[in-house]
Amino acid sequence: MARYTGPKTRICRIFGEPILGNGKYLSKNSNPPGQHGPSKKRKAPGEYALQLKEKQKAKYTYGVLEKQFRKTFEEAARLKGVTGENLIKLLEARLDNAVYRLGMSPSRPGARQLVSHKHVTVNGAVVNIPSYQLQPGDIIGVKEKDKGNTAITSVFRGKNAKFSWLDWNETEMSGTFVAYPERESVPENIKEQLIVELYSK
């Protein structure tokens, strides 16, 4: 299963923000990676470079490679409404992302691993596909025999209250995908319109 496994801090430095988690190292060195460091004069990026960078940011944020990202974009373009907002909604509806948003894992890579290793259920059935698209009303839970496994449940921290499109049941160790989120509710700093312009070329 393909995914990025390189240094996370390097990716954070490229975009100047902690898109892959802890950003404590950015305070020490926020310069883009490269041998010349801050002394190297960098020319202002062009329109295409800005669009490409925004797409790369979205891909790294959600842990999606190009082929799957393009497929998600094409699906977003087919839906009614604004294509860019539809893209964010579909990315947020991925099973691994929902597991992360529900607080069942401290990171998206960790959530992806939980799903891949068959610890997560959707509507009572085990699903091990991280890209599985949730529908409103779907219930995400932990496999019954894993509820007593502290290696899994000890990292549960509960849902952040600002994620209103999800509902978490502490007693049942399960969450509900209530609805697709509105764009303003998603905290990721992604300019999705630039991605739409890139794919429209």
Side-chain angles (χ1 to χ4, degrees), residues 14 20 29 35 88 99 121 126 132 150 154 190:
I14 289 174
L20 293 180
N29 184 2
Q35 62 177 330
I88 298 298
V99 169
T121 64
V126 173
Y132 179 88
T150 54
S154 63
I190 296 172

Side-chain angles (χ1 to χ4, degrees), residues 71-143:
K71 184 178 178 182
T72 305
F73 176 84
E74 290 171 351
E75 176 63 26
R78 284 193 291 268
L79 298 174
K80 290 182 180 179
V82 181
T83 300
E85 293 183 6
N86 289 340
L87 175 63
I88 298 298
K89 288 178 181 180
L90 291 177
L91 291 171
E92 284 291 326
R94 286 172 55 96
L95 178 57
D96 57 353
N97 184 74
V99 169
Y100 164 66
R101 293 287 196 209
L102 285 167
M104 297 167 70
S105 173
S107 67
R108 284 189 179 91
R112 184 187 183 96
Q113 188 176 56
L114 272 182
V115 175
S116 299
H117 290 188
K118 299 183 178 181
H119 297 300
V120 176
T121 64
V122 177
N123 298 328
V126 173
V127 177
N128 66 336
I129 304 171
S131 61
Y132 179 88
Q133 279 289 314
L134 295 168
Q135 300 297 322
D138 282 349
I139 298 174
I140 305 106
V142 182
K143 199 161 57 173

